[in-house]
Amino acid sequence: MLEEIGEALRAQRESLGLSLEDIQRATKVRSRYLAAVEEGDHEQLPADVYTRGIIRRFCQEVDLDEGPVLEKFDEWRRERDRKSLTDRLSRTPGMGSITLRPVQPSRGWGVWVILAAVLALAIFAGAAYYLIILPQAELSRPNDEPEEDPEAVNDEPEEEDPPEEEPEEPEEPEPEPEVQREDGPEPDEITYTVTEAEELRVSVSATADCWLRIWVDEERLTDDITLHPGEDAEWTADDSITLRAGYPAALAITVNDEEMDPVDTASPRYLRFRLAE
């Protein structure tokens, strides 16, 4: 059932031409949780109260009616808890094997036999209440737990009833990538160093004609290109990107989604971009 929810969300997302990264940016939920929802992998998801919030925001972002989806999630959760309870009872010593047999009291000790039988019934009734009736009552309670996501950032907190279980500790926020620019080491070089990033993305947009020669991870691309006004280009690398720009002042440069200051020269320059070690 959880797999059906994931398939419906994936199909709706793909029909809108959206990636998981697009959903992550819009919902502030980490992409690994969004992927786990699509794959129906509950082992990779946080506590149920937060998973429900993730599914609700996913539905809202892809314009999918959240009501039926959340009802199906609640049904899956109840079925999972019911199976867990059944397994737990089957592993409890003595449950299912207690048999009460009539005792024929004899003269002199019949009162004690009756008292022992009453005590055994009381113990059996108490065990049945705590192991069967009480868990079923807990499962039948209406769901009024908060649906806040532990991975959400910059969301205004909502006033909700406190959850019945302790929430997981939120993960430490990942450090934001930073880009440092420095001239050199050669006079015709400018070096951009990116820290706290796992991949390197460089995009350029031309305001005038600009010729470019490109190296990606130390390998030169086969063809040089010339960008005309309004045209742009983008490259991705694991380690480094180098551009030989004929007219660098005509380029608007973005590195890992961060806009760089203009290069104030019309002379050719090597623009070297690299990930910090």
Side-chain angles (χ1 to χ4, degrees):
M1 189 175 299
L2 191 59
E3 290 82 357
E4 295 177 6
I5 293 174
E7 291 174 1
L9 289 169
R10 179 189 289 114
Q12 182 70 5
R13 172 179 63 79
E14 292 177 348
S15 70
L16 297 176
L18 299 174
S19 66
L20 285 178
E21 288 72 20
D22 295 329
I23 305 300
Q24 173 181 276
R25 283 192 292 269
T27 63
K28 305 296 188 279
V29 175
R30 294 188 185 279
S31 60
R32 72 168 181 268
Y33 287 153
L34 300 173
V37 168
E38 287 192 347
E39 294 166 6
D41 187 359
H42 70 276
E43 296 293 340
Q44 302 299 321
L45 290 168
D48 290 348
V49 61
Y50 300 121
T51 297
R52 198 174 192 275
I54 291 172
I55 293 174
R56 176 172 58 82
R57 294 186 180 187
F58 203 149
C59 290
Q60 292 172 350
E61 188 59 31
V62 298
D63 297 328
L64 189 64
D65 187 2
E66 65 188 75
V69 177
L70 294 179
E71 287 180 6
K72 184 169 290 188
F73 173 76
D74 293 337
E75 181 181 349
W76 168 83
R77 183 173 62 173
R78 288 191 293 270
E79 181 64 23
R80 180 205 59 191
D81 292 344
R82 189 177 300 111
K83 290 181 180 178
S84 175
L85 175 62
T86 302
D87 293 341
R88 184 174 59 183
L89 290 176
S90 67
R91 294 193 297 269
T92 302
M95 292 303 297
S97 62
I98 297 177
T99 302
L100 297 179
R101 297 181 179 178
V103 178
Q104 297 296 331
S106 62
R107 190 179 304 168
W109 51 274
V111 174
W112 296 105
V113 171
I114 294 174
L115 290 177
V118 171
L119 180 60
L121 284 172
I123 294 174
F124 177 78
Y129 176 80
Y130 282 102
L131 292 177
I132 299 176
I133 299 176
L134 185 59
Q136 289 292 341
E138 290 293 333
L139 288 176
S140 64
R141 289 184 180 179
N143 181 20
D144 58 354
E145 297 173 336
E147 300 178 353
E148 287 301 315
D149 174 16
E151 299 298 331
V153 294
N154 296 330
D155 284 346
E156 290 295 330
E158 299 178 358
E159 294 184 2
E160 297 186 14
D161 295 333
E164 295 182 1
E165 60 183 46
E166 289 294 329
E168 294 181 351
E169 291 293 332
E171 296 182 1
E172 291 293 331
E174 294 183 356
E176 294 291 336
E178 295 183 359
V179 183
Q180 299 177 350
R181 168 183 166 172
E182 59 181 351
D183 294 333
E186 299 299 329
D188 64 342
E189 293 183 358
I190 300 175
T191 301
Y192 299 83
T193 303
V194 183
T195 60
E196 306 294 349
E198 296 182 357
E199 71 171 4
L200 181 62
R201 300 189 311 277
V202 175
S203 61
V204 296
S205 179
T207 59
D209 290 345
C210 180
W211 165 85
L212 293 172
R213 179 169 294 167
I214 308 104
W215 290 262
V216 175
D217 288 330
E218 306 299 334
E219 294 187 8
R220 178 181 167 184
L221 301 189
T222 304
D223 298 324
D224 298 341
I225 63 174
T226 298
L227 293 181
H228 302 290
E231 295 181 343
D232 51 35
E234 181 174 325
W235 305 272
T236 302
D238 295 326
D239 184 60
S240 65
I241 296 172
T242 300
L243 304 179
R244 177 64 173 174
Y247 184 25
L251 298 178
I253 304 172
T254 302
V255 181
N256 283 37
D257 300 324
E258 182 176 344
E259 295 182 1
M260 300 291 99
D261 293 334
V263 179
D264 296 327
T265 179
S267 301
R269 288 287 187 275
Y270 283 100
L271 308 177
R272 303 188 185 278
F273 308 87
R274 66 182 185 89
L275 292 178
E277 297 181 357

